[in-house]
Amino acid sequence: MKVPPEITYRNVEKTNAIDTLIHEKIAKLESVCDHISSCHIAIEKIHDRPRSGSPYRVRIDITVPPGHELVAERNPGEGIQYDPLDAVIRDTFNAARQQLVKLNQLQYERNGQGGKLRGHNQEQFQEATGLVTKLFKDRGYGFLRTLEGREIYFHRNSVLHHEFERLEIGTAVHFAEEMGEEGPQASTVKIFDKPGAGVGKSDQTMIEPPLGWRE
């Protein structure tokens, strides 16, 4: 990173645990894109006793050459579930990472298949196909099963185009896999085909579900 990351706290006590978590997440951003110009993280407590949701807000501002400005912000104060500060931080950094992945994908597509990928792991863009097998929409995550029968976790922030609510059990998706803190997870999920959506469309490529996917 050209400029050291800037971290500000407002009405929040800075602890070693939170500081360590933030720097671990910054390192993961740099593993996705090694030419980040600057990164500013703002952490604040906006409510002492919220009636619902979490009292914390986290915002990440990132600049990437030549002139890209990315913003990820999480303000779960209006939600139902209380999210502790570390969970809000993780969620925000995950959203920021997804934006960097998408930016790298766009740069890769512009460079063409023969172009060089800069600042990220090429394996992130080897898409696979799977089917959604479990959904917990109230909690914002689910699981998909690969055609080889492996189960992969995904978060709502990983679903492209804000289409998490469109997912159903049996929805076919393209996804990119990475190793998360608790095992394999999908870094990006893109709807490929919903159950019954391809009926009558001869140009629709269908896939065979993995054996036992309804288990």
Side-chain angles (χ1 to χ4, degrees):
M1 194 173 299
K2 296 181 179 180
V3 179
E6 181 181 355
I7 308 171
T8 60
Y9 295 86
R10 181 180 178 184
N11 299 323
V12 176
E13 179 183 0
K14 179 182 176 180
T15 66
N16 290 334
I18 292 299
D19 189 61
T20 298
L21 174 62
I22 290 174
H23 281 88
E24 288 177 353
K25 293 300 182 180
I26 291 174
K28 289 191 175 183
L29 293 184
E30 292 184 296
S31 70
V32 173
C33 178
D34 64 2
H35 52 290
I36 297 175
S37 298
S38 65
C39 179
H40 176 234
I41 301 99
I43 302 172
E44 64 176 321
K45 187 176 184 180
I46 55 179
H47 299 292
D48 286 328
R49 295 183 178 85
R51 295 181 178 178
S52 63
S54 175
Y56 302 107
R57 174 189 294 155
V58 177
R59 177 184 171 105
I60 303 174
D61 292 87
I62 300 171
T63 58
V64 178
H68 301 287
E69 296 182 0
L70 308 179
V71 177
E73 184 174 8
R74 288 294 177 268
N75 178 20
E78 300 300 327
I80 298 176
Q81 181 178 348
Y82 180 97
D83 290 325
L85 178 56
D86 63 329
V88 181
I89 291 173
R90 294 176 190 275
D91 194 23
T92 312
F93 269 96
N94 184 56
R97 182 176 55 78
Q98 297 305 321
Q99 292 189 44
L100 285 174
V101 168
K102 292 175 185 177
L103 177 60
N104 281 331
Q105 281 183 311
L106 178 61
Q107 292 175 340
Y108 171 57
E109 292 170 356
R110 288 177 176 175
N111 288 338
Q113 296 297 323
K116 294 182 179 180
L117 300 181
R118 178 186 178 192
H120 57 84
N121 188 339
Q122 295 188 34
E123 293 180 356
Q124 293 184 47
F125 303 105
Q126 295 179 355
E127 284 192 340
T129 302
L131 293 175
V132 176
T133 56
K134 299 177 184 177
L135 270 178
F136 303 90
K137 289 194 174 182
D138 57 333
R139 300 180 184 179
Y141 70 91
F143 291 87
L144 56 88
R145 184 167 294 185
T146 70
L147 299 185
E148 295 78 28
R150 295 185 302 115
E151 190 171 70
I152 306 292
Y153 165 89
F154 68 92
H155 190 272
R156 68 178 306 133
N157 292 333
S158 299
V159 182
L160 299 181
H161 311 303
H162 307 286
E163 293 188 328
F164 178 78
E165 296 299 331
R166 291 189 60 223
L167 293 176
E168 301 174 3
I169 300 299
T171 299
V173 298
H174 288 314
F175 70 96
E177 181 181 344
E178 67 175 11
M179 183 57 64
E181 296 178 355
E182 299 182 3
Q185 65 182 33
S187 61
T188 58
V189 176
K190 179 171 58 178
I191 292 178
F192 172 57
D193 185 33
K194 295 185 67 175
V199 176
K201 296 182 179 180
S202 59
D203 60 343
Q204 182 72 41
T205 302
M206 302 301 293
I207 64 173
E208 291 294 331
L211 183 64
W213 74 274
R214 290 187 180 274
E215 295 178 358

